[in-house]
Amino acid sequence: MRAVLTRLYSMAERDDKGVMERAYASAAGLSAPPTPAEASALCAEALLPVDPKIGRLLHLLVRTLRPRNPVEFGASYGASAIQIAAALRDNGSGHLTTSELDGGKVRKTRENLAEAGLADLVTVLEGDARDTLGALTEPVDFILLDGWKELYLPVLKVLEPLMAPGAVIVSDNLSMLPADYLERIRDGRLGYLSLDLPLGDGVEVTTWTGIRDE
């Protein structure tokens, strides 16, 4: 597991800056903001792993909370999935469902999970998360949102009916998150308790209490 993560972070440090600069330049040439599918294609070669400290936070939270049905939006190459799955393995229970739009990244995630010895603990769904995660039926008790930022709120709304009281949501890239998403997860009337943490470029950790102020 450590060998796979070390390789992914080394590749990201070497390549991601150049890939993202080309992606932003291409997006600037579009007549409108890129759709999730267009953004995924532009960033297909970028690994975009979670910050190492956020990876450790994910591992710590999963070890502590012992979720049975964690869900991830935005697998990329699988660095965060590896952290979560390793914690599930150490807990002795639980199964991660992760989603990724780009088919090439889905294959890489599966390969990296297999190399880390964690493939049996993760289901990788390919396609639009609003559809793939919308087909889930089991209660969800841990959520990592780390995909296309404009989809955080739509994906959250898809998962809300499945969230068990006490479910924890980790939202990465706090500095880039849309205002309407932040307003929702910081609204105590909707049953949320939330805290921002200065890790990476910011991360929000949220608990859904299950109690709404109607």
Side-chain angles (χ1 to χ4, degrees):
M1 182 197 80
R2 293 189 184 94
V4 177
L5 288 176
T6 297
R7 174 169 53 80
L8 292 177
Y9 280 111
S10 296
M11 291 171 63
E13 184 176 1
R14 182 190 67 207
D15 300 333
D16 274 10
K17 182 179 179 181
V19 172
M20 295 309 296
E21 286 176 349
R22 293 193 296 273
Y24 284 128
S26 299
L30 298 175
S31 58
T35 65
E38 289 171 337
S40 176
L42 292 171
C43 302
E45 296 180 14
L47 277 74
L48 302 174
V50 295
D51 183 272
K53 288 186 177 180
I54 295 176
R56 290 179 62 84
L57 174 67
L58 293 171
H59 190 93
L60 181 153
L61 287 173
V62 172
R63 285 286 278 144
T64 302
L65 298 170
R66 306 184 68 85
R68 297 194 60 81
N69 295 304
V71 169
E72 177 185 32
F73 163 53
S76 193
Y77 277 53
S80 48
I82 287 172
Q83 292 279 14
I84 294 171
L88 295 175
R89 178 197 60 193
D90 293 344
N91 286 346
S93 64
H95 188 92
L96 171 65
T97 301
T98 186
S99 60
E100 174 56 49
L101 184 59
D102 183 78
K105 288 188 172 182
V106 168
R107 290 190 293 275
K108 288 294 185 182
T109 293
R110 289 172 176 158
E111 291 172 3
N112 290 328
L113 286 165
E115 185 180 345
L118 300 166
D120 60 324
L121 295 167
V122 185
T123 297
V124 185
L125 302 177
E126 179 178 350
D128 190 317
R130 291 168 292 186
D131 299 323
T132 58
L133 298 182
L136 300 179
T137 58
E138 295 295 322
V140 172
D141 44 11
F142 186 89
I143 300 169
L144 170 62
L145 300 177
D146 191 26
W148 185 241
K149 310 314 168 193
E150 281 69 18
L151 289 183
Y152 276 30
L153 183 56
V155 169
L156 177 66
K157 289 182 176 179
V158 163
L159 294 173
E160 277 182 333
L162 298 175
M163 292 193 315
V168 167
I169 305 161
V170 178
S171 308
D172 197 16
N173 305 117
L174 180 59
S175 64
M176 301 168 62
L177 300 188
D180 56 353
Y181 174 76
L182 291 174
E183 288 171 3
R184 189 173 189 87
I185 62 170
R186 291 172 176 175
D187 192 341
R189 296 169 300 176
L190 297 178
Y192 288 112
L193 297 173
S194 201
L195 175 68
D196 60 291
L197 298 176
L199 300 176
D201 66 347
V203 63
E204 189 95 359
V205 179
T206 308
T207 296
W208 188 66
T209 66
I211 302 173
R212 294 180 181 267
D213 184 8
E214 301 293 347

